[in-house]
Amino acid sequence: MPTTKLIAACALAVCATGLFAQNMPNEPLKNVAQLSASSSVEVQQDLLSISMTTSRDGPDAGTVQTQLKQALDAALTQARQAALPGLMDVRTGNFSLYPRYGKDGKINGWQGLTELVLEGKDFPRITGTAGKIQSLTLGSVSFALSREQRAKVEGEAQAQAIERFKARAGEISSAFGFGGYALREVSINVNDQGFTPRPRMVAMSAKSDMAESAVPVEAGKSTVLVNVSGSVQMLPLPARP
């Protein structure tokens, strides 16, 4: 019986405590500053991607598919001879086959497309290989940052942004007459603003030109922007003795 009364008393105390906490007004935040700081680092793009494509058209789906496969196999054979992991990686891209319709709404033929992608850090190797491939033509050229380069640049920009955030937090606290600050919350956002110039090419769709020289390209630059935002609790000056 005494045990039962004790349990009931504890439960009543818990309910009362919860009710009291709910009825207590939320105290407004005092001496809290919201601020942000950012830093950007510009770096040369070091990853090149060249897409080689070709299309076929014919009355029979099997024939079109065979022609596409032959063109892709020939390009793969040529590209694999120069492939090196990281320097030039070779992969197949889009391979599609779809019907062509006449004015009467019936299928009167087939069209298809195949793609080969050369990608890596060795620009001369990639452009030279693209210039030698005869069964495909140049589709597109793009530049980006490699994973290693991106991680390095993000680390640099982030370190700079954090130092600027800390310096600004100290300046704001001092300006308001406080002795320092304590970090409450922080958010870090990374944004890659890449600029890719249009590749310098003249009549590169002509296979005879492609066979003579490498595809001329020129990489652009990327700007990695890191923004640090958050709030700090400004702390009073230490009491004088």
Side-chain angles (χ1 to χ4, degrees), residues 13-216:
V14 170
C15 291
T17 302
L19 181 61
F20 178 72
Q22 291 178 3
N23 292 332
M24 286 182 62
N26 294 326
E27 293 187 4
L29 296 176
K30 296 180 180 180
N31 306 330
V32 174
Q34 300 281 346
L35 65 148
S36 64
S38 62
S39 176
S40 61
V41 176
E42 187 178 70
V43 64
Q44 190 78 23
Q45 295 167 328
D46 66 335
L47 190 67
L48 169 64
S49 179
I50 293 183
S51 169
M52 310 283 296
T53 65
T54 191
S55 59
R56 294 291 186 272
D57 187 295
D60 178 72
T63 301
V64 173
Q65 180 173 320
T66 299
Q67 292 174 348
L68 291 173
K69 183 178 181 301
Q70 290 173 347
L72 182 59
D73 287 342
L76 276 171
T77 300
Q78 182 76 50
R80 284 169 178 164
Q81 295 176 3
L84 281 176
L87 297 180
M88 190 186 88
D89 295 307
V90 180
R91 60 181 174 86
T92 56
N94 180 36
F95 191 107
S96 59
L97 186 65
Y98 45 91
R100 184 186 63 218
Y101 294 91
K103 294 181 179 180
D104 57 358
K106 297 181 180 180
I107 296 176
N108 62 4
W110 290 82
Q111 294 176 312
L113 174 75
T114 189
E115 179 186 28
L116 179 68
V117 179
L118 312 178
E119 185 176 78
K121 298 180 181 180
D122 191 338
F123 288 15
R125 180 183 296 271
I126 296 171
T127 57
T129 302
K132 295 176 182 177
I133 293 177
Q134 296 293 291
S135 59
L136 305 179
T137 56
L138 186 65
S140 63
V141 178
S142 62
F143 300 92
L145 294 180
S146 65
R147 184 178 302 175
E148 300 80 10
Q149 185 78 312
R150 182 184 300 277
K152 177 184 177 182
V153 175
E154 285 183 3
E156 295 176 0
Q158 178 175 290
Q160 294 176 11
I162 290 175
E163 288 302 316
R164 291 178 181 178
F165 181 92
K166 291 163 60 178
R168 190 174 182 191
E171 293 171 356
I172 291 175
S173 298
S174 177
F176 279 104
F178 290 87
Y181 68 90
L183 186 66
R184 289 180 55 87
E185 59 182 15
V186 66
S187 174
I188 300 177
N189 297 307
V190 181
N191 183 26
D192 180 3
Q193 300 172 335
F195 167 72
T196 302
R198 302 180 72 176
R200 298 179 287 107
M201 329 183 165
V202 178
M204 290 310 299
S205 60
K207 295 182 179 180
S208 59
D209 291 338
M210 293 181 65
E212 296 297 329
S213 62
V215 176

Side-chain angles (χ1 to χ4, degrees), residues 220-235:
K221 293 183 178 182
S222 285
T223 299
V224 176
L225 175 66
V226 175
N227 184 70
V228 179
S229 60
S231 62
V232 296
Q233 180 74 54
M234 294 183 289
L235 305 176

